[in-house]
Amino acid sequence: MIQLENIYLSLGGRPILKNINFAVPRGETKVILGPSGSGKSSILKIILGLWRPDSGRVIIDGRDMTGASNEEWDRARYHIGMIFQEGALFDSLTVGENIGYWLFEHTKMSEEEIEVRVGRALVEVGLDPEILDRMPDELSGGMRRRVAIARALASLEPKIMLYDEPTTGLDPLAVETIIDQITSLQKRKEVTSLVVTHDISDALKVSNRFIMIAEGEVIFDGNSEELRGSNHPFVFRFLGPFKSTLAHAFASFGEEKG
Amino acid sequence: MASVALAVNERLKKMVFEAQGITAFAGKVFAKVFAPPFYWRDLYEQIHFLGIGSVYLCVFTGIFAGQAMALQFSKEMAEFGAKDYMGRIITLANVRALGPVLTGLMVAARVSSGIAAEIGSMKASNQIDALISFGTDPIKKLAVPRLLALFLMMPILTILTDTIAIIGGWIVSHFIVHVSDALYWTNVKQKLTYGNLLVGMTKPFFFGIIIAIVGCYKGFSSEGGTRGVGQATREAVVVSSISILVAEFMMTKGLFAILGW
């Protein structure tokens, strides 16, 4: 479970997050929607302990991480997988080394055991093990994201998955593949997931629970029906450009869930 | 006038903050040098990339610096009938000062910028955050191996530059100035004293530290995506080069005082 209470964050004197409150129950997926620069990614960095908020509480799986030491955060991160924008694969390592990075660094597994686990993770995300020796810059954007998901899977046996704009800049086919990965992971492993995106149609395919952030504040927290019916001027404006596809997307989502 | 004073004041303030930042960062890196885990593979790779990869620079620098110096000195020394002492002056100048400084500046240009660009790009593409999320301390993983690699390789590169520069000096002495080979090499040997070697070989260790720390600091502190990386790269070269020249002066003064020269 992820819970944020009264989170405030400022960088260089500029307020980034103001009084952020929300919770993602264990095993559920929630999507954070909002325009670029609204503070969505900052929330993920706070949950991962990369940034410390000015005030407020971060509770991960019932444990209050406010004021936790670096070592405590390191231990907490063992169960948190993060898919960064563009994948953030290590440029100087091959695909195989990227996926097996955590195992090499933090376990005493033999190279053979690591290879098996790396291969299994690659297959899990639908990639051919032949790409193991390729460098990240030889992969397409979609493949890089899938390798990043494989890296999180092989490494950590995550209980929580955080996705930062996982579909941004990808072609429609790659978007479908990534969304499939996110939803199947949620079904198979029952991980608690938080997905940051500004694309409402992708958001609807991933979950039925949404938070909307604008200028560092939570302006909406609810399900798709409530989102569609929201009278908040910003929500109305944000959903505006998607109106033509929105009705269809809501209908499809309803059918799938039904 | 007031605006000039204000600009100078701002610049000085920035320099002081920068020096403060670099010192604090150096403290963090030094504190982690002897603490496990040790990234031996990264150290080996950095020795190869930063050290071995800089050999060609030292060869070019040494050969042309040695020859140019010999040409410059030959005319003046011939006027005083002292051209037979070419070996002495070339050795003295190179081993004590020019060898370490030229090596430091050349390696700073190649390596400090490279380190800043690499770490800055990693930061811009969230790779540093990814390292932290996998429980890796980026300073230990990225800065410590680079610091150790340059600390170990700079003296070796300096010996190489010194040697090649002395050979460059010999080429000019032999073919252009027509100094006897035996005389040249006897003079070289006479000036390779413990004192001169101490003065010349202490500096590269510190120059290596300066290049690594400035490069890493600039990379880690870069902001603003690719534009920030470009700025960090440029500043890394400027700051490390100036720091090397300042350190050269201060260390020469200090070492001379220790040796009673």
Side-chain angles (χ1 to χ4, degrees), chain A residues 119-227:
Chain A
R120 205 188 304 147
L122 258 188
V123 172
E124 267 192 81
V125 296
L127 287 172
D128 192 332
E130 274 188 12
I131 66 163
L132 275 176
D133 293 326
R134 287 204 208 160
M135 298 305 284
D137 61 5
E138 296 174 74
L139 305 177
S140 67
M143 283 165 98
R144 275 204 295 273
R145 311 283 167 93
R146 282 151 81 186
V147 170
I149 295 175
R151 181 170 68 173
L153 290 179
S155 311
L156 310 159
E157 287 298 337
K159 292 178 184 165
I160 293 172
M161 285 291 286
L162 308 173
Y163 301 89
D164 192 1
E165 303 274 8
T167 57
T168 301
L170 299 183
D171 63 76
L173 208 62
V175 168
E176 286 303 314
T177 317
I178 294 295
I179 287 171
D180 283 349
Q181 297 301 329
I182 296 172
T183 49
S184 78
L185 195 63
Q186 181 196 349
K187 281 176 196 156
R188 282 185 289 125
K189 310 221 170 189
E190 293 186 343
V191 291
T192 309
S193 306
L194 197 54
V195 182
V196 158
T197 184
H198 59 262
D199 191 319
I200 185 74
S201 52
D202 291 348
L204 284 162
K205 291 172 192 162
V206 170
S207 177
N208 188 33
R209 305 292 306 180
F210 306 93
I211 299 162
M212 189 170 283
I213 306 275
E215 293 177 2
E217 286 180 89
V218 174
I219 56 166
F220 174 84
D221 187 350
N223 63 26
S224 55
E225 282 302 314
E226 290 164 339
L227 182 67

Side-chain angles (χ1 to χ4, degrees), chain A residues 45 48 50 74 77 84-85 88-91 93 97 101-102 105-106 151-152 155-156, chain B residues 37 39 41-42 45 118 121-122 125-136 141:
Chain A
K45 289 189 175 178
L48 200 58
L50 297 175
D74 279 343
R77 288 190 201 109
F84 290 91
Q85 281 187 38
L89 299 180
F90 304 126
D91 288 336
L93 303 181
E97 288 167 336
Y101 180 82
W102 190 85
E105 289 284 316
H106 297 290
R151 181 170 68 173
S155 311
L156 310 159
Chain B
Y39 294 99
R41 189 182 135 178
D42 296 82
E45 280 176 4
E118 192 181 358
S121 303
M122 287 183 76
S125 59
N126 288 320
Q127 290 179 55
I128 302 280
D129 284 344
L131 277 177
I132 299 170
S133 77
F134 285 114
T136 300
K141 172 88 176 159

Side-chain angles (χ1 to χ4, degrees), chain B residues 28 30-31 118 131 199 225 227-228:
Chain B
K28 275 190 208 169
F30 291 139
E118 192 181 358
L131 277 177
V199 171
R227 191 163 167 267

